[in-house]
Amino acid sequence: MARRLSTARTSTQRRFALAPTPSPWWRNAVVYQVYLRSFADSDGDGIGDLAGLRSKLPYLAWLGVDAIWINPHYPSGGADGGYDVVDYRAVDPEYGDVSDLEALVEDARQVGLRVLLDVVPNHTSDQHPWFRTALADPDSPEAARYHFAPPSEEPPNNWQSLFGGPAWSRTPDGRWFLHLFAPEQPDLNWRDPAVAADFERTLRFWLDRGVAGFRVDVAYGLYKDAALRDNPGFYAPTLFGHGPEQAMTWNQPEVHDVWRRWREICDEYPDTMLVGEVCLADLDEVALYSRPDEMHQALSFRLLKSAWDTGSFAEAISSALDAYGRVGAPVSWVLGNHDKERQVSRFGGGPLGAARARAAALLMLALPGSAYLYAGDELGLPQATVPDEAKKDPIFLRSGGARTGRDGCRIPMPWNSSPGVGFSPDGAAEPWLPVPAEWRSYAVAHQAEHDGSMLNLHRRALALRKAHPAFSTGEATVSTQGDVLTVRSVGTEETVRCVVNMGAETVLVRCRGTVLLASTAHVRHSARSVALPPNTAVWLVEH
């Protein structure tokens, strides 16, 4: 999406205009998220790795995505799926080494793909050399790079961990240290200049090796209230993210200066970009992170968290276009990721959930801006049930089992119908998370041979999205009528529509146009109308 020019609203319709100027690649790219540990295992240890990902680059090129984002590949303490980093300028030996990542970047370039890395600036691992030194010597320079408080009976304030319990834990000598996630993930103190300087070195280290940019973890974090004042409310975020109840821990004004500096660094490397994870309730606040001098994108999670109905989806789309449009930024749409229940299960499970997930995929890929596709969603994978004894997620462990955790959306990728689903060589290795027996029916090899599969639906949609740029760059109008949601996009050469029936009855949609693609084979259409079954989407080119 380019710069917003105008907005017109009624109770059911909002219009957003896009500037007809050439756009950088990232403004309308489709980015494929790779949970590296679960994607492809090359050496038979049951853990996905960089060589395994390299071997699947032809698949990703065939699918039709533009870039891949890799979840953390760094040496890690293993407390939170790689998001507790020990060394930011290295590769965990389980995944390979720096030369493997350099080879991945080059091989990806050869097939027309860019590579984005995940960077984690809010916290490190408790095994990081800085934190180990800080524990050993309270007066060391490294201790100033974290948040420590003197010994006391009670924690310094009422801040809570996102993973459950207080956000403060004791050191062996009685001090308190801050961790807004797990205790193994101590928060960095960004008011110490050494922290910023070290991360700038990290950015350049990877940019010099050809990566196309970074997804920034917890981009709304980093800075905390300087006086460590209590939050005004106990931890209770809204459906769509943090708000005033967490005013002292998130979204501090100083953080925007970090992204301005990082943007300057990326500007030294042509065609590179930053995309931030910004989990705030106020979309206007989220959009500020993607102002022209800050990050290039800030992920929009509204669709990911919206109920299956026209009102929720229409509001999620129009409010995001409106908020991001005010700062001239594209919306980065998300329907699934490594932190949320799989779409098929979230939308009702079984055939109903699958039908809705197919329709939702067409809707997301028809929206102006960029789209982020989580590995396995193109296969229609449901949320897996993971036995408690096999779970790894600290959310499950720290809650004493009260919260299910995220392991069910991180199950290894099924590549074929063999007993090991092709994840490891010869299927002999025990995968790091158990793979359900029914995973074979979702395998890439199986779906590639079936014309109506979820996989082939995604492949066709991605190809048509490129062939009809009005979908990703046009002037979009969002409207609803009963259970029908329509996104109409006017491009420079044609006008396209995505129409979704989110109800339980077949509806007749009047429109003069040609059907490009439908989420089900049961769509009936004539020159003037389309009969849409329940939970179905269709793409049209207007005549």
Side-chain angles (χ1 to χ4, degrees), residues 173-254:
D173 61 6
R175 288 175 291 161
W176 295 97
F177 71 91
L178 177 67
H179 56 87
L180 290 175
F181 293 86
E184 296 85 359
Q185 297 168 288
D187 279 48
L188 287 163
N189 176 17
W190 273 81
R191 300 184 189 280
D192 187 312
V195 174
D198 194 72
F199 271 94
E200 290 178 14
R201 286 193 289 272
T202 292
L203 297 183
R204 294 184 186 281
F205 179 87
W206 296 113
L207 289 169
D208 286 341
R209 283 155 179 79
V211 305
F214 303 91
R215 179 265 190 185
V216 183
D217 186 58
V218 197
Y220 58 108
L222 284 69
Y223 279 88
K224 283 78 181 175
D225 178 66
L228 302 182
R229 290 173 292 176
D230 279 354
N231 273 316
F234 195 74
Y235 176 65
T238 69
L239 172 64
F240 294 120
H242 303 284
E245 82 290 337
Q246 293 282 288
M248 302 303 165
T249 44
W250 307 116
N251 197 33
Q252 303 300 299
E254 299 94 332

Side-chain angles (χ1 to χ4, degrees), residues 122-136:
N122 182 73
H123 47 263
T124 69
S125 168
D126 63 351
Q127 302 303 306
H128 192 286
W130 286 359
F131 193 71
R132 294 171 70 91
T133 299
L135 288 181

